[in-house]
Structure formats: C-alpha cells, structure tokens
Amino acid sequence: MTRERVAERLGSTFESLPDESARGLPVYRGKVRDVVLGGKNLLLVASDRISAFDRVLSSVPCKGEVLARIASFWFEATADIAPNHVLAGPGSGLSGTGRATLARRAEMLPLEVVVRGYLSGSAWRDYQSGRAVSGIALPGGLSFNEKFPVPIITPSSKEAAGHDRPLSRAELLAEGLVSEETWREVERVSLALFRRGQEVAARGGLILADTKYEFGLVDGRLTLCDEIHTPDSSRYWWAESYPSRYQTHEPQRELDKEPFRRWLVERGFAGDGEPPRIPEEVRLETSWRYLQAFEAITGENFEPIGVDPQSESAAIARIVEERLL
Ligand SMILES: Nc1ncnc2c1ncn2[C@@H]1O[C@H](COP(=O)(O)OP(=O)(O)OP(=O)(O)O)[C@@H](O)[C@H]1O
Ligand SMILES: [Mg+2]
C-alpha cells in the first residue's frame, strides 16, 4: 500500500461498529475494539481508534486491520505452543473485512501477564525510583533498556474500573486470582510464547522488548485470548540501532505508537485536560508506521482487505448472523 492510498483513507476510517451490525447481540466497547458477545463465541472487531494515556484521541487509517492481522499472524506462529481462542480470522475464514476475529468466549483470568526482556517503560521508572518491579527485586546497577539475562514476568491485575495494579506472584496467589497450578502453566506458556516472539521478530530486524498476554479458560483449558504481539500490546525496537542507542542511553527507535505519544507530550498533553486536535499529517504518519510494523513483523506487503467502513460493517453483520447468532 502506498502513502497516497493511505492518505485517501483519512476521511473514511472505521470509527466504531454500528449497533445494527451486532444484530441484537450485546456489544462490549473497549477503547480500541468492539466485541460482539455471542453465547459460546465472540467477535472481536478492531476499530481504527487510537488511544494514548488511556484516552481515545483520534482514528488512524487501516490501524484496526493491521492489528487484527498482526495478531492473526502470531496466533498461527505460536499455535504449537499453546491453544488460543481463534476460530476464524482475517484471511482465514472471514471475508469482506480484515478487522474481525471470531473467537471462543473464555472465562478470563483477571490478570495481564506482562513479559519483559529488557528494562524499559514502567519497569525502568520503578527501578529508577528504587521500587521493586511487580515484587521482583532486580540487581543494582542496571542501565536503561538493558537486556535481562532471562525475561521476567511482571503481572498486573485487570481492574474493571481505574488503572491496573502491579502484583507480585505471591500477591496474586494470596488474592486467589488464579490457582498456583494454573499460574505455573501461565508462566511456562508465557515464557515460551515470548521466546518464539523474539525469534520471529529478529528475522524481521526487530527486537520484541516486552509484551502483554491475556489468558482465559475454555472448557477448563488454559487458552491464550485477546491479542498477541501487536504493536498495541507490545514494545518493539529496531534491532539495528539497539546497541549504539543503548550505549549512549538514548531512547530506542520504536515501532509502536511511541512517536504519537511523544507528539502529544511535546504539546503538553499527558492524559489530563483537553487533548490537542490531531492533524492529518500525524494521523497519516501514524498509519504509515503501523503498515511498516505489519511488513516488518509478517514479512508481507500490506494490502487492505477492507474496502470502506460501510461494506465492512455489512460483512461483519453477515458474520454475526452466520457464526454468532
Ligand atoms: N476469548 C475471550 N473471551 C472473553 N473475553 C475476551 C476474550 N478475548 C479478549 N477478551 C476481552 O475482550 C475485551 C477486549 O476489549 P479491549 O481490549 O478493546 O478493551 P479493554 O481491554 O476493556 O480496555 P482497553 O481499551 O484498555 O484495552 C477485553 O476485556 C478482553 O479481556
Ligand atoms: Mg485490552
């Protein structure tokens, strides 16, 4: 896809799933995705909304399709490691839209399982101010974005309202959020998924620095749910520039929406008050980055499946009728 064609789509992004497409089924609306809830199954629809600092601020052409298709790529690339919730997805059983994923409805564990290969983000901020990172006491003298000898797991609770809380292993077990047996399996699977993620990302010249998994139980079986290794749930860096930037303590070149966040911060917005209006060139540039992410991760050129929001909404309505009602 060319930049010109992305620009043509600035005026026709997929903002949200119309109520009619759900055919009377309940819809859960997250910040970025709309989820049509069937009895046994659900349909995850990735919109083009973009959030930063927990606020939806704008829309970005093709973003939803890019995310859904990156997740779909990774579910396939990790299917031998753990069962996942996918029944059909973009390019594999669902037509007319690239942003919908049909999945088994799971009983979700109330946890976000964050795996970190490098000392970055909130873990770096905690470390710098002398706090343990989700109960893990790290050795002294580590540098910004330093690679850990082995990846660590820093879980947090998934709160219905408010911000997620970092938890130690001991805390999450004491609070009974998950049984010890299940947690051990979560740890084993998460580390294996992350290792695979790092290997595959490396082939595209990328470092998967950290990511977040969500698991659920389907017929009593631990199942990988939600999304996997998308730029929205992960931090990716370009591998080529890692060593020199690490040496000089500069921020890494990121693949994800960090530049979008930085643009906001430069204009004095960090989540509170009135957000600035997002100009078209920023929406275009952000879209362009998501397309590059798709190509680096999957090794394929991005050609959109979805044509426009109206025809995608109609295709989704058909999928709901045939597969969910
Ligand atoms: N297989 C599944 N079964 C049941 N729920 C699922 C499944 N996969 C994902 N979910 C849930 O569906 C929702 C997806 O919504 P989404 O991620 O867009 O919003 P959110 O997590 O509520 O908020 P945020 O916008 O901060 O991510 C999440 O609550 C996720 O936990
Ligand atoms: Mg979510």
Short mmCIF file of all heavy atoms in Angstrom, two decimals, residues 277-303:
data_model
loop_
_atom_site.label_atom_id
_atom_site.label_comp_id
_atom_site.label_asym_id
_atom_site.label_seq_id
_atom_site.Cartn_x
_atom_site.Cartn_y
_atom_site.Cartn_z
N ARG A 277 -5.95 18.89 19.02
CA ARG A 277 -6.54 18.31 17.82
C ARG A 277 -5.42 17.61 17.04
O ARG A 277 -4.34 18.16 16.88
CB ARG A 277 -7.15 19.42 16.98
CG ARG A 277 -8.28 18.97 16.05
CD ARG A 277 -8.71 20.12 15.13
NE ARG A 277 -7.56 20.59 14.33
CZ ARG A 277 -7.13 19.98 13.22
NH1 ARG A 277 -7.73 18.90 12.77
NH2 ARG A 277 -6.08 20.46 12.57
N ILE A 278 -5.69 16.41 16.56
CA ILE A 278 -4.64 15.64 15.88
C ILE A 278 -4.70 15.98 14.39
O ILE A 278 -5.69 15.66 13.73
CB ILE A 278 -4.84 14.12 16.07
CG1 ILE A 278 -5.19 13.77 17.53
CG2 ILE A 278 -3.62 13.35 15.58
CD1 ILE A 278 -4.12 14.03 18.54
N PRO A 279 -3.66 16.60 13.85
CA PRO A 279 -3.70 16.96 12.43
C PRO A 279 -3.56 15.75 11.51
O PRO A 279 -3.10 14.69 11.93
CB PRO A 279 -2.49 17.89 12.25
CG PRO A 279 -1.66 17.76 13.47
CD PRO A 279 -2.43 17.01 14.51
N GLU A 280 -4.00 15.95 10.26
CA GLU A 280 -3.99 14.84 9.31
C GLU A 280 -2.61 14.24 9.10
O GLU A 280 -2.47 13.04 8.97
CB GLU A 280 -4.58 15.30 7.97
CG GLU A 280 -6.05 15.59 8.05
CD GLU A 280 -6.77 15.35 6.73
OE1 GLU A 280 -6.13 15.56 5.68
OE2 GLU A 280 -7.94 14.95 6.76
N GLU A 281 -1.57 15.10 9.09
CA GLU A 281 -0.26 14.51 8.79
C GLU A 281 0.22 13.59 9.93
O GLU A 281 0.93 12.62 9.69
CB GLU A 281 0.79 15.57 8.43
CG GLU A 281 1.14 16.60 9.46
CD GLU A 281 0.25 17.85 9.39
OE1 GLU A 281 -0.86 17.79 8.80
OE2 GLU A 281 0.66 18.87 9.96
N VAL A 282 -0.23 13.87 11.15
CA VAL A 282 0.14 12.98 12.25
C VAL A 282 -0.63 11.66 12.14
O VAL A 282 -0.07 10.58 12.36
CB VAL A 282 -0.12 13.67 13.62
CG1 VAL A 282 0.10 12.69 14.77
CG2 VAL A 282 0.81 14.88 13.78
N ARG A 283 -1.90 11.73 11.75
CA ARG A 283 -2.69 10.51 11.56
C ARG A 283 -2.10 9.68 10.42
O ARG A 283 -2.01 8.46 10.50
CB ARG A 283 -4.14 10.86 11.26
CG ARG A 283 -4.83 11.58 12.43
CD ARG A 283 -6.21 12.06 12.05
NE ARG A 283 -7.08 10.98 11.64
CZ ARG A 283 -7.86 11.00 10.56
NH1 ARG A 283 -7.88 12.06 9.78
NH2 ARG A 283 -8.61 9.97 10.28
N LEU A 284 -1.67 10.36 9.36
CA LEU A 284 -1.08 9.67 8.22
C LEU A 284 0.24 9.01 8.61
O LEU A 284 0.49 7.83 8.31
CB LEU A 284 -0.87 10.67 7.08
CG LEU A 284 -0.15 10.18 5.83
CD1 LEU A 284 -0.91 9.02 5.18
CD2 LEU A 284 0.01 11.30 4.81
N GLU A 285 1.08 9.74 9.28
CA GLU A 285 2.39 9.22 9.69
C GLU A 285 2.22 8.02 10.63
O GLU A 285 2.93 7.02 10.53
CB GLU A 285 3.20 10.33 10.37
CG GLU A 285 4.59 9.94 10.85
CD GLU A 285 5.49 9.40 9.74
OE1 GLU A 285 5.29 9.78 8.56
OE2 GLU A 285 6.38 8.57 10.06
N THR A 286 1.24 8.13 11.53
CA THR A 286 1.00 7.03 12.47
C THR A 286 0.52 5.79 11.72
O THR A 286 0.98 4.67 11.98
CB THR A 286 -0.02 7.46 13.54
OG1 THR A 286 0.44 8.67 14.15
CG2 THR A 286 -0.19 6.40 14.60
N SER A 287 -0.37 5.98 10.76
CA SER A 287 -0.84 4.87 9.95
C SER A 287 0.34 4.22 9.22
O SER A 287 0.48 3.00 9.19
CB SER A 287 -1.86 5.37 8.92
OG SER A 287 -2.24 4.32 8.07
N TRP A 288 1.18 5.07 8.67
CA TRP A 288 2.33 4.59 7.93
C TRP A 288 3.21 3.71 8.82
O TRP A 288 3.72 2.67 8.40
CB TRP A 288 3.11 5.79 7.39
CG TRP A 288 4.14 5.42 6.38
CD1 TRP A 288 5.49 5.60 6.51
CD2 TRP A 288 3.92 4.79 5.12
NE1 TRP A 288 6.13 5.12 5.40
CE2 TRP A 288 5.19 4.61 4.53
CE3 TRP A 288 2.78 4.34 4.43
CZ2 TRP A 288 5.36 4.02 3.28
CZ3 TRP A 288 2.95 3.75 3.18
CH2 TRP A 288 4.22 3.60 2.62
N ARG A 289 3.36 4.10 10.06
CA ARG A 289 4.16 3.30 11.00
C ARG A 289 3.52 1.94 11.28
O ARG A 289 4.20 0.93 11.41
CB ARG A 289 4.35 4.04 12.31
CG ARG A 289 5.39 5.10 12.18
CD ARG A 289 5.54 5.86 13.46
NE ARG A 289 6.65 6.76 13.30
CZ ARG A 289 7.91 6.43 13.55
NH1 ARG A 289 8.21 5.22 13.98
NH2 ARG A 289 8.87 7.29 13.37
N TYR A 290 2.19 1.94 11.40
CA TYR A 290 1.51 0.66 11.61
C TYR A 290 1.70 -0.25 10.40
O TYR A 290 1.90 -1.45 10.55
CB TYR A 290 0.03 0.87 11.91
CG TYR A 290 -0.23 1.14 13.39
CD1 TYR A 290 -0.28 2.43 13.91
CD2 TYR A 290 -0.40 0.08 14.28
CE1 TYR A 290 -0.49 2.67 15.26
CE2 TYR A 290 -0.61 0.30 15.64
CZ TYR A 290 -0.66 1.60 16.12
OH TYR A 290 -0.87 1.81 17.45
N LEU A 291 1.67 0.32 9.20
CA LEU A 291 1.88 -0.50 7.99
C LEU A 291 3.31 -1.07 7.97
O LEU A 291 3.53 -2.21 7.61
CB LEU A 291 1.63 0.29 6.71
CG LEU A 291 0.25 0.90 6.49
CD1 LEU A 291 0.10 1.30 5.02
CD2 LEU A 291 -0.85 -0.05 6.86
N GLN A 292 4.26 -0.23 8.36
CA GLN A 292 5.65 -0.72 8.42
C GLN A 292 5.79 -1.83 9.45
O GLN A 292 6.53 -2.79 9.25
CB GLN A 292 6.59 0.43 8.76
CG GLN A 292 6.83 1.34 7.59
CD GLN A 292 7.75 2.48 7.98
OE1 GLN A 292 7.62 3.07 9.06
NE2 GLN A 292 8.69 2.79 7.12
N ALA A 293 5.09 -1.65 10.55
CA ALA A 293 5.11 -2.69 11.58
C ALA A 293 4.61 -4.01 11.00
O ALA A 293 5.22 -5.06 11.16
CB ALA A 293 4.26 -2.27 12.78
N PHE A 294 3.48 -3.93 10.29
CA PHE A 294 2.92 -5.13 9.67
C PHE A 294 3.94 -5.81 8.77
O PHE A 294 4.16 -7.03 8.82
CB PHE A 294 1.67 -4.78 8.86
CG PHE A 294 1.04 -5.96 8.16
CD1 PHE A 294 0.07 -6.71 8.80
CD2 PHE A 294 1.44 -6.34 6.88
CE1 PHE A 294 -0.50 -7.82 8.18
CE2 PHE A 294 0.88 -7.44 6.26
CZ PHE A 294 -0.09 -8.18 6.91
N GLU A 295 4.60 -5.00 7.94
CA GLU A 295 5.52 -5.57 6.96
C GLU A 295 6.77 -6.15 7.63
O GLU A 295 7.25 -7.22 7.25
CB GLU A 295 5.85 -4.52 5.89
CG GLU A 295 4.57 -4.18 5.14
CD GLU A 295 4.72 -3.20 3.97
OE1 GLU A 295 5.85 -2.75 3.69
OE2 GLU A 295 3.69 -2.90 3.35
N ALA A 296 7.27 -5.46 8.65
CA ALA A 296 8.46 -5.97 9.34
C ALA A 296 8.15 -7.27 10.08
O ALA A 296 8.94 -8.21 10.09
CB ALA A 296 9.00 -4.92 10.30
N ILE A 297 6.98 -7.33 10.70
CA ILE A 297 6.65 -8.49 11.52
C ILE A 297 6.30 -9.69 10.66
O ILE A 297 6.80 -10.80 10.87
CB ILE A 297 5.49 -8.17 12.49
CG1 ILE A 297 5.95 -7.15 13.54
CG2 ILE A 297 4.98 -9.44 13.17
CD1 ILE A 297 4.82 -6.48 14.31
N THR A 298 5.44 -9.47 9.65
CA THR A 298 4.94 -10.62 8.89
C THR A 298 5.80 -10.92 7.66
O THR A 298 5.68 -12.00 7.09
CB THR A 298 3.50 -10.37 8.39
OG1 THR A 298 3.54 -9.31 7.42
CG2 THR A 298 2.57 -9.97 9.53
N GLY A 299 6.62 -9.96 7.24
CA GLY A 299 7.41 -10.16 6.03
C GLY A 299 6.59 -10.00 4.76
O GLY A 299 7.06 -10.33 3.67
N GLU A 300 5.35 -9.53 4.89
CA GLU A 300 4.49 -9.36 3.71
C GLU A 300 4.13 -7.90 3.51
O GLU A 300 4.04 -7.15 4.48
CB GLU A 300 3.15 -10.08 3.92
CG GLU A 300 3.20 -11.57 3.79
CD GLU A 300 1.89 -12.18 4.26
OE1 GLU A 300 0.83 -11.59 4.01
OE2 GLU A 300 1.95 -13.25 4.90
N ASN A 301 3.88 -7.53 2.25
CA ASN A 301 3.36 -6.18 2.00
C ASN A 301 1.93 -6.10 2.50
O ASN A 301 1.19 -7.08 2.42
CB ASN A 301 3.36 -5.88 0.50
CG ASN A 301 4.77 -5.75 -0.03
OD1 ASN A 301 5.66 -5.26 0.69
ND2 ASN A 301 4.98 -6.19 -1.25
N PHE A 302 1.55 -4.95 2.98
CA PHE A 302 0.18 -4.80 3.46
C PHE A 302 -0.74 -4.37 2.33
O PHE A 302 -0.54 -3.33 1.71
CB PHE A 302 0.10 -3.78 4.60
CG PHE A 302 -1.30 -3.61 5.12
CD1 PHE A 302 -1.84 -4.54 5.99
CD2 PHE A 302 -2.09 -2.55 4.70
CE1 PHE A 302 -3.15 -4.41 6.45
CE2 PHE A 302 -3.41 -2.42 5.16
CZ PHE A 302 -3.92 -3.34 6.04
N GLU A 303 -1.73 -5.18 2.03
CA GLU A 303 -2.79 -4.80 1.12
C GLU A 303 -4.10 -4.95 1.88
O GLU A 303 -4.43 -6.05 2.32
CB GLU A 303 -2.80 -5.71 -0.12
CG GLU A 303 -1.93 -5.21 -1.25
CD GLU A 303 -2.22 -3.74 -1.62
OE1 GLU A 303 -3.39 -3.36 -1.74
OE2 GLU A 303 -1.24 -2.98 -1.79
#
